[in-house]
Amino acid sequence: MRSLTFVIGTGRSGSTALSRILNSHPDVLSLNEFMASVGDAAFPEGKVTGEEFWQSLFRPAPHFERMIRSGLPLPEFLYTRRPGRYTAKTTGIPALSLMVLPHLSDDPDGLLDELCAAVVRWPVRTAAEHHRALFGLLCARFGRTAVVERSGYSTGWAPRLRAAFPDARFVHLFRDGPDCALSMSRHPGYRTISLLREIKARAGIDSFADLTDAHARSLPADLSPLLDERFDPALVLDRDVPLRTFGSLWSELVTEGSEFLGRLPADQRTTLAYEDLLDDPAAELTRLAAFIGVSPLPQWLNIASALLDHSRRGSARKLPAAELDELRDSCAPGTRVLQGRPGQ
């Protein structure tokens, strides 16, 4: 039976490099940022037709479209680097095309057409059953036997994925707290996340589905435009966001991921520390391959080692002492959780 593994984590932890490493293995179908791309829309309640399921994969993600239209595309957006027939200004970029398909093919538009022709004819069934069929279709298309989905900022997805795919395996990927938090602070996506979290906190809501016009009108002028179809990217890039904000976010996410992992059977969970991967890529990737259910091919291990970037390790240590101390304090709760982690 085809194995299914989800890599969850904070993001900014070597996760994009890990997707590239996994994609270089001849037996692994690497689904890069699949969950980040399709979101809740691809997991409706009950049963849906193949056409309805396809629309959930095809429909552009509104939050990503707003970022692109506003001149704030994320480095993870692969489609915009070599655009095809879709654009945010006209058609919108299909959710599956933005980051998933360009990772798999140099012709993402052609691959999208192939998938559409098959999926729209599928029978009525649950979203989980449609997803398994989609993964199987892609495995057959690329000659792969193991499916690994990896999205950044994904710990919140884990319980829903566990419910949909109870036999799936989970890898909790993490990086040194201060280094990861510093990287978040410099990334437009995480800066946007921090501001959207501030909007929800000010409005007293848990979900943007609960945001009213009155809530929006009550927001300060440097936050409310972020809800518009187009906004000034300087609102995100130039805002002074304290480093401790990202340290606290890192702590929250690694705690969430660790607690989820602790609830899983031992054979369905493992951890992967980015620093361990840098220190001994052959050993860590051999262990990961065994967990996923593929062979640690020597050629693959050599390719993988070359894809790792050691240059940003210890980046937080270059901060002024007072800033580093404050950042370490905000990361301390997550660091304590990781010291007692399960899954290794």
Side-chain angles (χ1 to χ4, degrees):
M1 183 178 175
R2 186 181 304 109
S3 68
L4 174 60
T5 303
F6 292 97
V7 180
I8 62 170
T10 62
R12 311 310 299 162
S13 55
S15 52
T16 300
L18 182 62
S19 278
R20 289 196 291 266
I21 287 169
L22 291 169
N23 197 40
S24 69
H25 194 293
D27 296 325
V28 175
L29 178 73
S30 173
L31 296 178
N32 175 61
E33 304 281 9
F34 180 85
M35 289 308 305
S37 300
V38 303
D40 283 319
F43 285 86
E45 295 291 332
K47 296 184 177 183
V48 294
T49 66
E51 173 64 33
E52 289 169 330
F53 177 64
W54 177 251
Q55 286 304 315
S56 73
L57 304 176
F58 183 85
R59 194 177 301 115
H63 52 296
F64 289 150
E65 291 286 293
R66 284 196 297 272
M67 296 188 77
I68 296 170
R69 285 194 298 267
S70 301
L72 199 67
L74 303 185
E76 291 82 1
F77 293 171
L78 300 179
Y79 191 88
T80 55
R81 298 182 192 175
R82 188 172 53 195
R85 77 171 76 117
Y86 301 100
T87 69
K89 291 182 179 179
T90 56
T91 59
I93 299 173
L96 209 58
S97 297
L98 191 57
M99 297 181 280
V100 181
L101 299 187
H103 181 70
L104 296 173
S105 170
D106 290 333
D107 181 17
D109 289 348
L111 182 53
L112 187 76
D113 292 343
E114 282 184 47
L115 296 176
C116 175
V119 175
V120 294
R121 298 198 302 266
W122 285 352
V124 174
R125 53 188 165 191
T126 66
E129 290 169 331
H130 277 302
H131 276 90
R132 285 195 178 277
L134 176 67
F135 300 160
L137 180 63
L138 285 168
C139 278
R141 168 67 169 75
F142 291 100
R144 309 298 172 107
T145 59
V147 180
V148 183
E149 192 281 336
R150 193 284 313 168
S151 292
Y153 194 65
S154 54
T155 55
W157 283 107
R160 281 169 283 184
L161 293 172
R162 168 73 171 159
F165 308 106
D167 58 341
R169 305 166 192 177
F170 288 84
V171 180
H172 183 203
L173 173 66
F174 50 84
R175 178 186 180 189
D176 172 77
D179 283 355
C180 188
L182 181 61
S183 181
M184 288 177 176
S185 75
R186 296 168 173 171
H187 187 276
Y190 284 85
R191 292 181 68 83
T192 302
I193 286 169
S194 73
L195 298 178
L196 294 178
R197 284 164 62 95
E198 184 178 344
I199 287 174
K200 288 197 291 187
R202 285 175 177 267
I205 58 173
D206 294 323
S207 168
F208 278 105
D210 300 324
L211 188 74
T212 65
D213 290 340
H215 286 140
R217 287 193 300 270
S218 70
L219 294 171
D222 59 348
L223 285 178
S224 57
L226 296 177
L227 303 173
D228 297 339
E229 287 303 303
R230 191 188 300 271
F231 57 85
D232 183 352
L235 292 171
V236 173
L237 299 177
D238 295 346
R239 187 183 178 96
D240 182 18
V241 184
L243 274 178
R244 64 176 177 275
T245 299
F246 300 99
S248 297
L249 176 60
W250 177 85
S251 282
E252 179 183 325
L253 296 176
V254 296
T255 298
E256 188 174 51
S258 294
E259 290 178 348
F260 168 78
L261 215 69
R263 296 191 291 269
L264 297 181
D267 62 348
Q268 288 182 261
R269 70 188 189 199
T270 195
T271 60
L272 180 60
Y274 182 56
E275 289 74 23
D276 291 345
L277 186 58
L278 293 179
D279 286 342
D280 196 345
E284 289 300 294
L285 290 173
T286 296
R287 184 174 64 84
L288 181 62
F291 181 74
I292 292 168
V294 297
S295 298
L297 305 173
Q299 184 179 4
W300 172 66
L301 293 175
N302 289 334
I303 292 171
S305 296
L307 291 172
L308 293 169
D309 180 6
H310 294 254
S311 66
R312 297 178 184 174
R313 183 174 187 173
S315 55
R317 292 198 293 269
K318 300 175 184 177
L319 291 169
E323 288 186 45
L324 180 57
D325 287 345
E326 184 178 36
L327 183 55
R328 283 174 171 161
D329 284 346
S330 63
C331 292
T335 300
R336 287 193 293 270
V337 167
L338 289 180
Q339 288 170 347
R341 66 187 184 267
Q344 190 72 27

